[in-house]
Amino acid sequence: VGSGTAAASGGRHFSEFLPSGASGAADGKLVTGFDGAIAAASVPELKPRQSNGERVRPEDYDQRVEELMELADHENPHTVYIVHAVDGSKTGLRVPSRRCIERVRSKYGERVVLVLDACQARSNAAELKWFLARGAMVLTTSSKFFSAPGFCGAVLLPRDASAALKSIPIERVPAGLADYITKLEVPSSLVGLRKALSHGPANVGLLLRWECGLAEMERFVAMEAAADAVIGAWVKEARALVARIGAEEPTQGNLPMLEVVDDAADGDEARATRLGGVNSIVCFRVRSSDGSRWLDTASLKKAHKWLASDASSLLALSANEGAAVRRIVATRCFVGQPVKLGNYAVLRLAMSAPLACRLAESGASRLAEVLKEDALALRKLRFVVRAAEGL
């Protein structure tokens, strides 16, 4: 999840810059009006990965969630829990499990408030309905899978939450929320909340970004069955492609330069909740040329920058390169930004809704073309990593 998630969950600012343009906010400072119990709230962060980058087993993660809640309940049997579930991290992880959620809801009842982070928007409709039916607030965007411009978020509210915000007294709405939203971003049905917020300014940019996202959402929904099929086909081929190109020119010690990071431990539950039935983010790590280590975030940020640029200037560091290599190196390639996993980082190839729709419309020939583009990006990556190591 985003780096500001923990602060925001505790009613605190997560940046010194506010959407309203107001100054004076401090990262981590309590938002005006969030006081009392909120000020004293504990926000434990449960990392889904170990220090070596390997993911925590789903059953162990669930156990940790339940242990923390039991400990808090022992200290205060009136504790209210906001359980922040994630379906689709930056690498596609899904935690905690539905089984865990059902157990804690059964044990603590109305003291459990569910929030689902589905901001990657790679969850299918059945997953969103499952959470909404259990009173969860669902965070989503159209700027990831649906490829709208960035900063394009929304919250889906279940009936109970909507009813509460419809009748909430003005004095119970934290004044500091006015730095984040105006009444123009709130549905007209939420009368109470709207009364507590300012009339503007109008966030025209947000509306335009959502227009882009909604167009792609509508297109995808109209052909979802066909698009689902090509998502699965692309993921299978892309994973194989990373392995094949990683082994084409191995590092010293005859080790593959690229390796898929497999997070398939979610099992049947995840397959039933994801668009296409798969994790549509293919993560891979990159070895140094001498084969001694996996590249870290700083190294992959440099490589990522070269990928998105004409890297022909690096050819001077590598003699006797042919025309094919020169064409590859000059091509601008766009892949997912590095994500830190323990002491190394990964880059990402990812399916998007616009691409899934184009593939569904065009068939196998277009899939082959997309895979050629992916192969070019991976071969350029291999080149720039080796060339940049000589800088």
Side-chain angles (χ1 to χ4, degrees):
V1 296
S3 58
T5 300
S9 298
R12 297 178 182 278
H13 296 294
F14 51 87
S15 171
E16 61 181 297
F17 302 104
L18 296 172
S20 66
S23 59
D27 192 357
K29 180 182 177 181
L30 206 65
V31 174
T32 302
F34 279 110
D35 49 20
I38 292 293
S42 171
V43 187
E45 296 183 73
L46 299 184
K47 298 188 180 300
R49 294 187 182 275
Q50 303 172 55
S51 59
N52 62 0
E54 297 297 318
R55 75 165 296 176
V56 175
R57 293 192 312 162
E59 55 268 34
D60 292 340
Y61 190 94
D62 288 352
Q63 182 179 352
R64 183 62 178 143
V65 170
E66 295 177 55
E67 287 175 348
L68 275 177
M69 294 177 73
E70 288 174 3
L71 179 61
D73 217 59
H74 178 73
E75 295 176 356
N76 180 0
H78 303 292
T79 299
V80 174
Y81 305 96
I82 298 177
V83 178
H84 187 121
V86 178
D87 188 0
S89 68
K90 293 175 183 178
T91 59
L93 296 186
R94 184 186 186 284
V95 289
S97 72
R98 285 185 177 183
R99 294 181 297 276
C100 174
I101 290 169
E102 292 287 50
R103 286 194 297 267
V104 299
R105 289 182 72 245
S106 175
K107 184 171 183 178
Y108 302 108
E110 293 183 353
R111 291 191 288 132
V112 173
V113 178
L114 278 180
V115 176
L116 173 66
D117 184 335
C119 288
Q120 282 285 336
R122 298 174 189 274
S123 311
N124 60 23
E127 172 80 331
L128 303 184
K129 289 177 180 177
W130 189 92
F131 275 91
L132 287 167
R134 286 154 181 80
M137 287 159 279
V138 177
L139 314 180
T140 189
T141 70
S142 63
S143 57
K144 305 293 185 184
F145 180 70
F146 290 103
S147 299
F151 302 102
C152 194
V155 183
L156 308 181
L157 296 176
R159 287 189 178 90
D160 288 349
S162 296
L165 292 175
K166 182 177 181 179
S167 58
I168 188 170
I170 292 177
E171 62 271 14
R172 291 192 58 194
V173 177
L177 279 184
D179 283 321
Y180 289 89
I181 57 173
T182 72
K183 64 167 49 180
L184 300 178
E185 289 92 64
V186 177
S188 58
S189 59
L190 303 184
V191 179
L193 179 57
R194 282 173 60 89
K195 285 182 178 178
L197 298 172
S198 66
H199 292 274
N203 193 338
V204 177
L206 179 62
L207 295 177
L208 293 174
R209 293 192 289 273
W210 265 108
E211 280 297 317
C212 296
L214 288 171
E216 294 298 345
M217 287 180 174
E218 290 165 357
R219 182 185 180 202
F220 182 84
V221 169
M223 57 192 314
E224 185 168 347
D228 269 359
V230 298
I231 290 172
W234 174 82
V235 168
K236 179 181 178 181
E237 294 296 333
R239 290 168 63 90
L241 184 67
V242 171
R244 184 168 72 252
I245 291 180
E248 276 181 357
E249 296 181 12
T251 66
Q252 294 178 27
N254 202 34
L255 298 171
M257 192 170 192
L258 310 177
E259 181 179 278
V260 171
V261 174
D262 189 357
D263 285 324
D266 287 331
D268 293 337
E269 185 174 280
R271 284 193 287 272
T273 65
R274 290 171 172 161
L275 293 172
V278 293
N279 179 3
S280 53
I281 303 173
V282 176
C283 304
F284 59 95
R285 52 187 178 180
V286 185
R287 275 194 175 93
S288 59
S289 296
D290 63 6
S292 65
R293 60 188 175 88
W294 296 111
L295 297 187
D296 60 14
T297 307
S299 298
L300 286 187
K301 279 185 176 180
K302 293 177 183 177
H304 188 266
K305 183 178 179 180
W306 282 114
L307 276 176
S309 310
D310 179 344
S312 298
S313 61
L314 292 177
L315 287 168
L317 303 173
S318 184
N320 302 320
E321 298 293 355
V325 171
R326 292 180 180 278
R327 178 181 64 83
I328 290 172
V329 172
T331 303
R332 298 175 70 199
C333 303
F334 300 94
V335 302
Q337 295 177 343
V339 177
K340 182 179 180 181
L341 304 185
N343 56 4
Y344 66 90
V346 295
L347 290 173
R348 298 164 294 159
L349 300 176
M351 178 56 65
S352 68
L355 180 55
C357 290
R358 288 199 296 272
L359 290 176
E361 292 167 343
S362 305
S365 60
R366 179 58 179 144
L367 176 59
E369 291 176 10
V370 168
L371 290 168
K372 285 182 180 178
E373 294 170 358
D374 293 335
L376 187 151
L378 293 172
R379 290 191 172 103
K380 180 176 179 179
L381 172 65
R382 194 175 59 196
F383 174 87
V384 300
V385 165
R386 286 175 168 157
E389 285 180 340
L391 292 177

